């Protein structure tokens, strides 16, 4: 085995050869390497930039799968992890406790969304990643109903175009054929409600009116399945992996009312949209609602460590309290409540106050909107949409015979990705939707560079 010094001498070509001989990368058709899709060996990260082993720099416009909040190698988070590593790296979390886990739980509950007249979220359950958090929430919802004598609630409602992760329970709640189709025989069958996606609004219909119309359709699903539904699960405001589909907060308010009227839980998947991405710390705040389960991950640790948390109510928690082990929630992960990850999350939360992050984000988001606005006039752009620090560019081919947009088929997204990588920008499209979700530290020159490369990438993606 190479020493770190020997390994550091590898050039990019040798690195790629060795990597492809031993590593299977996620979300990748490996046959595309090394030809169609470039593998980019990274040496280090600083701020909004990644540096390759060949010295080339890449603007991380997607925050490394939406995890990085404040920039790579943020010194305050790195220092918190180092301090914790010298004290306690890990301990079983069943029957034991530690300072970072306790302080983080208290901190998350203190900033969690609140709703007038509703009991606040009161308990935190830790897991390892976003998919695991969804699994926890689904199981906890069903089991809570069961423990209260309501064992008929075995159905879940999700939105069309949704994505909630890759483990089987989480994948079951998704509606993206690329991920779901192969594993369909293994999955739960949720009830899918039409997405309130404002892009699907009827001619002349506002985003709010579209959301309320879709909410009426959601209510009809609940009415058609009385007493069967355990929970509704959704990503508030932005369906991220589904193509950055955005909708009006009015849908969240109605969804909360519908769940309450039918005795079902509301699961808010804020794994991608939480921690300032949408303009508020949590997206639910923009509808002034609180869910029964709040799922968090990705930016929870500022992008440094794998960790997820599920916040829930005292009412749910108390349904598991009994002398019977069967009524307990026995779900567990070996690294639940890992002290290093909890220390990173505490440092990340502290930065929001120290740097007034949300105020800075509002200024950055406004500048992102200004720079992207000219793209809306491009003949191959159907829509430029934005919610806070998330901006999406919906591409299309020439108009169809009826004048409506025809989405590009084929490899447009891949062409855009390759074009941007060659010019030092990580612009990883979702299908044929280009999007920006940069770290919050991104500056003016970097945003201008991002806009310039996106413009030329759009030309490349939409060429015949």
């Amino acid at each position: 085995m190479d020493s770190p010094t020997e390994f550091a001498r590898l050039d990019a070509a040798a690195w790629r050869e060795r990597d492809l001989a031993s590593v299977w990368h996620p979300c990748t058709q490996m046959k595309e390497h090394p030809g169609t899709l470039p593998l980019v060996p990274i040496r280090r990260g600083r701020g909004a930039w990644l540096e390759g082993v060949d010295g080339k720099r890449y603007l991380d416009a997607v925050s490394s799968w939406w995890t990085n909040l404040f920039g790579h190698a943020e010194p305050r988070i790195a220092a918190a992890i180092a301090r914790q590593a010298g004290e306690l790296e890990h301990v079983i979390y069943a029957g034991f406790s530690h300072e970072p886990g306790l302080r983080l739980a208290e901190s998350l509950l203190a900033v969690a969304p609140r709703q007038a007249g509703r009991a606040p979220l009161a308990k935190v359950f830790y897991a390892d990643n976003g998919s695991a958090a969804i699994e926890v929430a689904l199981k906890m919802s069903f089991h809570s109903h069961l423990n209260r004598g309501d064992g008929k609630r075995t159905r879940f409602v999700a939105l069309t175009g949704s994505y909630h992760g890759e483990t089987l329970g989480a994948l079951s709640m998704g509606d993206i054929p690329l991920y779901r189709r192969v594993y369909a025989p293994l999955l739960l069958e949720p009830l899918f409600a039409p997405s309130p996606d404002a892009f699907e609004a009827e001619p002349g219909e506002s985003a709010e009116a579209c959301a309320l119309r879709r909410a009426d359709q959601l209510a009809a699903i609940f009415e058609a399945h009385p007493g069967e539904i355990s929970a509704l699960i959704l990503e508030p405001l932005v369906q991220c992996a589904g193509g950055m589909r955005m909708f009006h907060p009015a849908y969240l308010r109605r969804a909360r009312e519908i769940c309450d009227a039918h005795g079902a839980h509301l699961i808010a998947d804020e794994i991608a949209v939480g921690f300032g991405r949408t303009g508020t710390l949590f997206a639910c705040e923009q509808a002034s609602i609180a869910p029964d389960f709040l799922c968090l991950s990705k930016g929870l640790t500022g992008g440094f460590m794998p960790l997820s948390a599920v916040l829930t109510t005292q009412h749910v928690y108390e349904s598991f309290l009994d002398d019977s082990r069967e009524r307990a929630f026995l779900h567990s992960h070996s690294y639940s409540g890992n002290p290093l990850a909890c220390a990173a999350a505490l440092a990340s939360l502290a930065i929001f106050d120290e740097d007034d992050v949300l105020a800075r984000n509002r200024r950055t988001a406004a500048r992102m909107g200004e720079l992207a606005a000219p793209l809306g006039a491009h003949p191959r752009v159907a829509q430029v949409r934005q919610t806070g620090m998330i901006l999406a560019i919906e591409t299309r081919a020439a108009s169809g015979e009826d004048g409506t947009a025809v989405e590009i088929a084929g490899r447009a997204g891949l062409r855009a990705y390759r074009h941007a990588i060659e010019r030092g920008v990580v612009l990883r499209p979702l299908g044929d939707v280009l999007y920006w979700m940069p770290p919050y530290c991104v500056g003016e020159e970097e945003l201008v560079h991002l806009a310039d490369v996106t413009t030329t990438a759009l030309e490349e993606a939409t060429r015949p």
Side-chain angles (χ1 to χ4, degrees):
M1 180 166 42
D2 294 337
S3 69
T5 301
E6 292 169 331
F7 202 87
R9 296 194 187 105
L10 287 176
D11 62 20
W15 187 308
R16 291 188 187 99
E17 182 179 355
R18 287 178 57 172
D19 183 287
L20 294 175
S22 57
V23 178
W24 192 341
H25 290 268
C27 203
T28 300
Q29 171 48 265
M30 292 299 294
K31 191 174 182 181
E32 293 179 335
H33 290 316
T36 307
L37 189 66
L39 183 69
V40 184
I42 296 298
R43 185 198 317 274
R44 64 173 60 90
R46 291 291 185 275
W49 294 89
L50 298 165
E51 181 184 317
V53 299
D54 57 1
K56 184 174 181 179
R57 298 171 77 227
Y58 302 88
L59 180 62
D60 189 358
V62 300
S63 295
S64 291
W65 258 343
W66 323 336
T67 62
N68 193 286
L69 297 186
F70 309 114
H72 295 281
E74 210 296 329
R76 288 166 288 186
I77 302 177
I81 295 171
R83 285 193 300 270
Q84 185 59 44
E87 296 294 329
L88 175 67
E89 80 297 337
H90 188 62
V91 63
I92 181 176
Y93 213 51
F96 290 82
S97 180
H98 51 70
E99 179 186 341
L102 173 55
R103 289 180 55 218
L104 178 59
E106 292 175 341
S107 298
L108 290 173
L109 293 173
V111 298
R114 292 177 180 264
Q115 182 174 347
R118 191 176 202 90
L121 296 171
K123 289 292 187 290
V124 177
F125 190 97
Y126 293 120
D128 300 291
N129 58 70
S131 293
I134 299 300
E135 300 281 345
V136 166
L138 296 175
K139 291 173 65 178
M140 206 177 271
S141 173
F142 163 76
H143 200 165
S144 176
H145 288 303
L146 180 66
N147 282 352
R148 293 189 183 277
D150 197 356
K152 295 181 180 180
R153 292 186 179 271
T154 60
R155 305 297 302 272
F156 293 91
V157 180
L159 301 183
T160 57
S162 60
Y163 175 89
H164 297 286
E166 297 290 346
T167 52
L168 289 179
L171 186 61
S172 294
M173 300 299 115
D175 183 48
I176 300 177
L178 178 64
Y179 299 107
R180 183 184 178 91
R181 187 184 300 116
V182 172
Y183 305 105
L186 307 178
L187 303 181
L188 300 171
E189 288 292 339
L191 302 163
F192 284 108
S195 169
D197 174 17
F199 187 61
E200 296 183 357
E202 295 176 350
E205 184 179 44
S206 68
E208 182 175 10
C210 176
L212 293 174
R213 175 169 57 84
R214 293 302 199 192
D216 288 341
Q217 293 173 302
L218 173 67
I221 290 175
F222 274 80
E223 290 162 4
H225 298 272
E228 298 178 21
I229 296 171
S230 183
L232 163 67
I233 181 171
L234 51 73
E235 287 181 283
L237 300 186
V238 185
Q239 293 179 272
C240 292
M244 298 300 171
R245 302 295 179 183
M246 301 177 185
F247 59 90
H248 194 278
Y251 187 85
L252 296 177
R253 289 190 287 272
R254 285 280 288 121
R256 177 70 276 179
E257 293 168 359
I258 292 166
C259 287
D260 286 344
H262 291 272
H265 296 134
L266 175 61
I267 301 172
D269 174 356
E270 293 223 21
I271 291 163
V273 300
F275 299 104
R277 286 289 178 195
T278 66
T280 47
L281 190 63
F282 299 109
C284 284
E285 296 174 39
Q286 297 183 42
S288 299
I289 63 110
D292 300 289
F293 297 92
L294 179 66
C295 298
L296 305 173
S297 191
K298 290 192 181 290
L300 175 59
T301 66
F304 273 69
M305 301 284 290
L307 179 69
S308 63
V310 179
L311 281 60
T312 192
T313 64
Q314 187 72 16
H315 181 74
V316 168
Y317 172 75
E318 289 179 355
S319 69
F320 290 87
L321 301 182
D322 191 79
D323 292 333
S324 168
R325 292 277 289 174
E326 289 185 1
R327 289 175 64 92
F329 191 63
L330 301 180
H331 186 106
S332 63
H333 296 269
S334 299
Y335 282 93
S336 292
N338 175 257
L340 299 176
C342 290
L346 283 165
S348 180
L349 284 175
I351 291 173
F352 277 95
D353 293 328
E354 293 170 10
D355 294 358
D356 198 4
V357 171
L358 295 179
R360 185 180 67 195
N361 281 5
R362 286 192 287 272
R363 296 189 294 271
T364 304
R367 184 59 177 144
M368 288 167 60
E370 292 171 355
L371 290 168
L375 296 174
H378 193 285
R380 297 294 176 86
V381 170
Q383 184 188 56
V384 176
R385 53 182 176 267
Q386 184 177 11
T387 299
M389 291 287 291
I390 306 171
L391 188 145
I393 301 145
E394 185 91 20
T395 62
R396 68 182 181 192
S399 297
E401 294 180 1
D402 61 355
T404 60
V406 179
E407 291 191 14
I408 295 171
R411 308 292 276 173
L414 177 60
R415 292 203 302 269
Y417 174 74
R418 291 193 56 170
H419 177 90
I421 279 288
E422 290 168 1
R423 287 152 184 80
V425 174
V426 182
L427 191 69
R428 187 181 175 96
L430 293 162
D432 296 330
V433 175
L434 309 182
Y435 71 92
W436 301 347
M437 199 189 288
Y440 302 160
C441 64
V442 68
E444 171 69 15
E445 291 185 8
E446 293 156 338
L447 287 175
V448 170
H449 178 55
L450 174 57
D452 290 343
V453 171
T454 302
T455 301
T456 55
L458 179 63
E459 294 291 341
E460 174 65 17
T462 58
R463 64 177 171 79

